[in-house]
Amino acid sequence: QQPVQSPQAVILREGEDAVINCSSSKALYSVHWYRQKHGEAPVFLMILLKGGEQKGHEKISASFNEKKQQSSLYLTASQLSYSGTYFCGTDEAAGNKLTFGGGTRVLVKP
Amino acid sequence: GAGVSQTPSNKVTEKGKYVELRCDPISGHTALYWYRQSLGQGPEFLIYFQGTGAADDSGLPNDRFFAVRPEGSVSTLKIQRTERGDSAVYLCASSSGFGELFFGEGSRLTVL
């Protein structure tokens, strides 16, 4: 069963912040985040392993609460380049076989 | 090449025809994955290889779909008796182990 992402879409002004949530009904080993721009391949952002760690990439950071089986991606001081669709991918067994959520479409306007 | 290469980038075929999609992973990557992405959806897992063997093919929708990786490098996804519902972008990804997946640009399949 695929993880549930929310919101489905968000529109931001440049410099604003946003949070994208990813929730699974299954126990997870890790959560992966990818960004895909229209017509392009998904691009890796970060991996979070169970243990509640928080990681960062540019001004994009994420957290993982393994007890709640949830992860959140934080877009801070958004830039135009942050526009795209963000997908979380969940891994239940450390096999790198990812189940992706339905995506969150982010549009950053000037 | 430096990245994952997929061919063809676009394929239009008629219902009932046979199709092959090719993936050339990053050199040295032992793991190779096939995903399918429909419009507005996240990638859906199909199969993954560790070396030459299929480590997990649980995502293949039915026996019309088959994939091989005979020498542990290039992989071919084969679809028999194509149906309109098979239309999607087929993504290939490779990795050196646990961690980042490097995706190709995908092969867009349209079944008329």
Side-chain angles (χ1 to χ4, degrees):
Chain A
Q1 192 169 4
Q2 70 175 170
V4 177
Q5 288 186 233
S6 63
Q8 289 186 316
V10 59
I11 300 175
L12 301 167
R13 290 287 179 191
E14 203 172 2
E16 291 182 340
D17 302 339
V19 180
I20 300 170
N21 298 302
C22 174
S23 180
S24 175
S25 60
K26 299 187 175 183
L28 302 176
Y29 178 81
S30 64
V31 178
H32 304 222
W33 286 95
Y34 285 77
R35 178 172 64 205
Q36 185 177 32
K37 293 185 183 283
H38 184 68
E40 298 181 7
V43 174
F44 172 80
L45 293 176
M46 65 192 77
I47 290 176
L48 299 105
L49 303 177
K50 65 179 181 180
E53 68 176 283
Q54 188 157 353
K55 301 193 79 171
H57 171 82
E58 300 171 344
K59 289 184 179 178
I60 300 174
S61 61
S63 62
F64 175 31
N65 185 323
E66 67 187 90
K67 290 183 180 177
K68 292 185 178 180
Q69 296 147 206
Q70 293 176 346
S71 178
S72 295
L73 187 74
Y74 307 94
L75 307 182
T76 305
S78 57
Q79 303 170 17
L80 297 177
S81 62
Y82 287 3
S83 292
T85 302
Y86 289 77
F87 294 100
C88 67
T90 55
D91 177 10
E92 297 168 29
N96 228 30
K97 169 191 164 184
L98 301 182
T99 303
F100 285 95
T104 297
R105 298 174 73 174
V106 173
L107 176 62
V108 181
K109 294 184 172 181
Chain B
V4 176
S5 176
Q6 291 189 246
T7 55
S9 54
N10 278 285
K11 176 71 177 179
V12 179
T13 191
E14 294 180 342
K15 181 173 176 288
K17 298 290 187 182
Y18 170 80
V19 165
E20 287 190 354
L21 306 175
R22 175 190 167 107
C23 173
D24 198 343
I26 292 172
S27 177
H29 279 190
T30 56
L32 185 147
Y33 305 79
W34 283 100
Y35 282 84
R36 177 170 70 175
Q37 187 173 29
S38 300
L39 191 62
Q41 304 293 317
E44 173 194 6
F45 172 80
L46 296 177
I47 184 171
Y48 109 83
F49 291 88
Q50 190 64 244
T52 60
D56 187 330
D57 65 357
S58 60
L60 294 177
N62 51 59
D63 61 6
R64 295 187 298 105
F65 288 75
F66 190 71
V68 295
R69 194 186 185 200
E71 297 177 357
S73 178
V74 171
S75 176
T76 304
L77 179 66
K78 308 180 180 192
I79 310 174
Q80 298 178 322
R81 305 183 303 280
T82 50
E83 300 178 357
R84 291 194 181 88
D86 299 335
S87 296
V89 175
Y90 289 80
L91 294 168
C92 176
S94 69
S95 77
S96 58
F98 178 77
E100 179 176 358
L101 298 185
F102 293 83
F103 282 89
E105 298 281 341
S107 291
R108 180 178 298 278
L109 175 65
T110 303
V111 182
L112 302 177

